[in-house]
Structures are given as C-alpha cells and as structure tokens.
C-alpha cells in the first residue's frame, strides 16, 4: 500500500518511508492512498480472535509488497507483549482499557508498533537510527519504554526541568541502555525548538541518522486501529442495533485511527468525540467553524490541545465535508467539575477508578446515550491511562488512592539518570557527540 501527504496526493511513499520521515516534506501528514475493504475479515472475527491475529491481519495489508508474512508476524509479536482489556459495565456501556502496556497509557500501542517496525526495517538494511523527541510527559515515557533495548536504535529525549510529574520523570530517566534523557533548563517549547533545529542542522544530520517519533507519525496512528477492531470482535455477539465508540481526545490521533477502522469496513454506527474545555472539534461539529486557539489547562492535561494536529487527517477522510463528518462523529465537551463528579460516581457505583481523561469519555458517553435516547445502542469508551498515573486528581475526586501498577512501581524504585543541559542547539549538539559514539 502507498501513502500520500494530506497536502499533495501526487507524492506517494511506501510505509517504510512514511515511518522514517514522520512529517511529509510539504508539511502535510501521511495518510493511506486508498481504502482497504476488510468487511469480510471483520465480520468473521469473534470473541476468540486474538489481538495479535487482528494486528497481523491489518499490518499484512499495509505492508503488502514491502514485507512478507514472517516479518509482519515478528513486528506484531515484538510490539505487543501487552493487550487491551474489555470491561462490560452494563448493557449500554463498556470500557476498553488501553493502559496495560509498559508506560500505562494507550500511547504504548502506537509507540511500540513504531519501534518494532523500525527495528525490523533497520535490521534488514543494517542501518541505524537516532530518535530525537521532546516531551512534556506522557509521550516521552511511551516512546522511551517502547524503544528500550531495540537493536540499531538510540533514543534521546528532551524534557523541561521541573515541569514533568515526579513519576513521569522516573519513567523517562530510569531505563538506561539505549535511552538517554536530557533535562533541559527551559520550557517544553524550548525542547521542541531544539529538536526542530537539530533536524535541519547540516552538521548534526550528517553526523547522526536522526529520526522523529512524534505523535503525528503514521507508524503510531495505524496500530491504534487494532484495538477498535478487537473491541468490536469481543462485543459483537451482544450488540443490538447501534454501536458507538467514545474517544477522549486531544490531538485526535486516537479518534482518527477509529475512523480508519470504520472506513475500512468495521460496522460502527458512530463516534463520540469527547474533549475537556479545549473543545475546538466539538465546536466545529456544532457550527461548521474551525477556530484553533491557545490551549487551556484542565485536569485531563494530556488533552489540553487548542490546535489538534490530526484535524487535517479527519478533514481529508471526509473530503472536507462538514455534513459527512457530522453524520458519523458527535462532539461533546466535559468540564473539570463534571470530570471530578463522574470519577466519584463511577467509584461509588461500580467500584472502579477512572483517570481524568477516561472520565471525560465516560461522562460524554452517558450523556450521549441519554440525550439521543439510543435505547438500542451500546457505547464502548476508550480508557486512555491508568488512574494511578493521575493519582492527585483521583484522590481529589474520590478521596481514595488507586494502587500503582507494576511498571510504575518498578520505575519509581529506580535511580534517575539524566544529563542537565542548557536550552540552545549548541548544548544539544555537544551532548549528542558525547553520548552517541
Ligand atoms: C494523548 C492522550 C489523550 C489524547 O489522545 P489524542 O490521540 O491526542 O486525541 C488522551 N488521554 C491520555 C491519557 C493521553 O495520554
């Protein structure tokens, strides 16, 4: 299969090229050139279908002509030593937990597949890659754990000193080996600026095979389709007429992956796009007016995005047609007060902790079912992070503390290792020459 830029359908690249380039040279995002027709496959799936089987099925189509079945199997097996888990809350609502990976958030699925696919391509051609990323927290820990111990790949992560949570810092700085953490005296914007400058610096790009792994990478988007398909297969037998996914959203990568699953034949009735106060997309769905704006701080901070990077992909999917998008995607905005309220309610009623992002999705799902009177509908809410990652918010909402999952316990007990550096390209260049031999 070939991939094109959202800004230029003429320039076609392979999956491998899209993987290592990240952003298209024209500034657009890579999208599949054609729609696959996988209905027959999807209909044949059932409760017994494994996550690996589903991941391998879709990956084989994507890599047709590039890699054989053996390589596809290797990529999937190495990417996913963890799986999603489905919790049926009642007849109308279920939750698919996506936080059983090494960093305890759904971004593990994308990062881990990207790492595994890169490792496969690099080993074939005996090349090396240096992944350079700036992070304000969550993305960095998913990337760091996903690339840890991958052959032929070094990872350098820049994060702003004192501005990520203590637990997140531990996740970034305790892996060692091929993962180097740089603690930058400056802001997240400084870190991002330094990374961008490094990519266009002639001396550095000559010295190191620099590659990005940021969230707009196609290699992180595509694997997020797999759990939509898996959740459908798990629920299929019990579904009545209508089936929806509700997706807590920030940059809308997760939702966009679901839209591709639908486009390629997954029988979904619609999607609920749930946001916090950063409601640019729900506002667009309501009014037809897209007005990105500076982000606002909320309790679900991984969704504090004022200009969602994947909106360009969503528009391309619906041929820039507002009515087409509205027919499938329903928007809703959930306030911080409602988020806290629903976290308490779910703990009291179902004895379940939700992270604040998942709570936004849960609230929007319940409201959707009530408002639209979808009596014959079922909504599957995507649970995006383990509640213990946001322990302060959970305690504030419920008065109780969730238990730390094993990967977080392990990270918390290890010793931090980082290089402190200034916020210029010269500082970054010096340390790169020092650590990457
Ligand atoms: C990144 C993230 C989101 C938002 O996902 P997008 O793909 O950016 O819409 C939601 N919840 C958590 C916990 C996240 O880390």
């Amino acid at each position: 299969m070939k991939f094109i830029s959202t800004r230029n359908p003429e320039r076609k690249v392979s999956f491998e090229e899209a993987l290592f380039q990240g952003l298209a040279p024209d500034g657009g995002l890579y999208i599949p050139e054609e729609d696959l027709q996988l209905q027959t496959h999807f209909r044949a799936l059932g409760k017994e279908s494994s996550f690996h089987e589903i991941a391998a099925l879709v990956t084989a189509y994507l890599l047709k002509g590039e890699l054989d079945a053996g390589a596809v199997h290797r990529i999937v097996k190495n990417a996913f030593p963890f799986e999603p888990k489905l919790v049926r809350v009642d007849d109308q609502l279920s939750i698919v937990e996506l936080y059983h990976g090494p960093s305890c958030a759904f971004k593990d699925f994308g990062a881990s597949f990207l790492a595994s696919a890169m490792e496969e391509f690099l080993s074939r051609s005996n090349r090396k890659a240096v992944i350079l990323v700036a992070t304000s927290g969550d993305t960095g820990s998913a990337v760091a754990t996903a690339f840890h111990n991958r052959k032929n790949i070094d990872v350098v992560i820049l994060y702003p000193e004192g501005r990520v949570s203590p637990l997140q810092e531990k996740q970034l700085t305790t892996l060692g080996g091929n993962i180097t953490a740089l603690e930058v005296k400056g802001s997240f914007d400084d870190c991002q600026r330094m990374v961008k400058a490094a990519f266009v610096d002639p001396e550095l790009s000559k010295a190191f095979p620099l590659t990005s792994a940021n969230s707009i990478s196609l290699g992180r988007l595509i694997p997020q389709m797999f759990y939509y398909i898996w959740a459908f297969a798990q629920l299929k037998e019990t579904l009545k007429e209508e089936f929806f996914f509700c997706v807590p959203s920030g940059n809308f990568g997760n939702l966009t992956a679901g839209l591709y699953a639908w486009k390629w034949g997954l029988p979904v009735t619609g999607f609920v796009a749930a946001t916090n106060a950063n409601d640019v997309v729900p506002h667009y769905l309501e009014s037809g007016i897209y007005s990105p704006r500076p982000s606002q701080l909320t309790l679900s901070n991984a969704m504090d995005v004022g200009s969602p990077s994947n909106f360009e992909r969503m528009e391309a999917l619906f041929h820039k047609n507002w009515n087409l998008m509205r027919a499938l995607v329903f928007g809703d905005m959930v306030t911080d007060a409602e988020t806290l309220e629903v976290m308490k309610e779910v703990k009291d009623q179902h004895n379940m902790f939700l992270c604040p992002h998942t709570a936004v999705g849960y609230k929007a799902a319940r409201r959707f079912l009530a408002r639209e009177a979808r009596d014959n509908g079922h909504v599957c809410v995507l649970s995006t992070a383990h509640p213990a990652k946001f322990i302060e918010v959970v305690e504030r909402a419920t008065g109780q503390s969730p238990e730390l999952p094993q990967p977080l316990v392990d990270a918390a007990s290890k010793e931090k290792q980082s290089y402190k550096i200034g916020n210029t390209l010269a500082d970054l260049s010096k340390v790169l020459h020092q650590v990457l031999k």
Side-chain angles (χ1 to χ4, degrees), residues 51-227:
F51 184 74
H52 274 191
E53 175 188 336
I54 290 169
L57 167 75
V58 180
T59 305
Y61 273 96
L62 291 170
L63 290 174
K64 214 178 234 172
E66 285 186 70
L67 293 179
D68 60 20
V72 166
H73 184 74
R74 249 188 327 271
I75 291 175
V76 165
K77 188 165 154 282
N78 291 335
F80 304 118
F82 54 92
E83 288 197 349
K85 203 174 136 191
L86 193 86
V87 178
R88 207 181 156 89
V89 179
D90 56 38
D91 266 2
Q92 290 221 281
L93 193 138
S94 53
I95 294 178
V96 59
E97 294 175 352
L98 304 174
Y99 54 70
H100 300 289
S103 86
C104 305
F106 85 91
K107 291 192 175 72
D108 285 333
F109 284 90
S112 203
F113 182 88
L114 177 71
S116 181
M118 279 186 172
E119 188 179 40
E120 177 71 28
F121 280 116
L122 289 170
S123 75
R124 294 180 161 245
S125 50
N126 211 5
R127 283 177 298 147
K128 286 188 188 311
V130 174
I131 309 280
L132 201 55
V133 286
T135 184
S136 55
D138 246 15
T139 305
S141 52
V143 169
T145 51
F147 281 90
H148 189 220
N149 291 335
R150 300 272 179 201
K151 287 188 275 308
N152 299 324
I153 307 179
D154 283 306
V155 178
V156 179
I157 297 180
L158 287 75
Y159 71 96
E161 180 181 19
R163 301 203 198 175
V164 303
S165 77
L167 194 56
Q168 278 175 339
E169 183 171 39
K170 286 280 192 174
Q171 286 184 289
L172 295 175
T173 58
T174 55
L175 292 164
N178 63 333
I179 313 293
T180 302
L182 305 179
E183 194 174 354
V184 176
K185 284 190 184 60
S187 64
F188 171 60
D189 290 338
D190 289 328
C191 297
Q192 237 172 355
R193 178 179 45 76
M194 291 159 77
V195 167
K196 279 190 186 153
F199 281 121
V200 296
D201 183 76
E203 189 271 321
L204 282 179
S205 15
K206 202 167 153 231
F208 308 110
L210 297 180
T211 304
S212 77
N214 58 26
S215 60
I216 47 92
S217 168
L218 186 81
R220 285 179 53 175
L221 184 86
I222 293 287
Q224 294 178 2
M225 292 173 59
F226 307 158
Y227 45 72

Side-chain angles (χ1 to χ4, degrees), residues 104-107 137-139 168 215 220-221 224 227 247-257 274 300-305 308-310 355-358 382-386 389-390:
C104 305
F106 85 91
K107 291 192 175 72
D138 246 15
T139 305
Q168 278 175 339
S215 60
R220 285 179 53 175
L221 184 86
Q224 294 178 2
Y227 45 72
V247 191
S249 298
N251 270 318
F252 283 79
N254 212 3
L255 185 91
T256 302
S300 44
N301 59 21
M303 307 187 336
D304 292 347
V305 179
S309 53
N310 279 291
C355 90
H357 312 81
T358 307
L382 272 57
S383 177
T384 53
H386 193 288
K389 289 195 92 171
F390 301 90

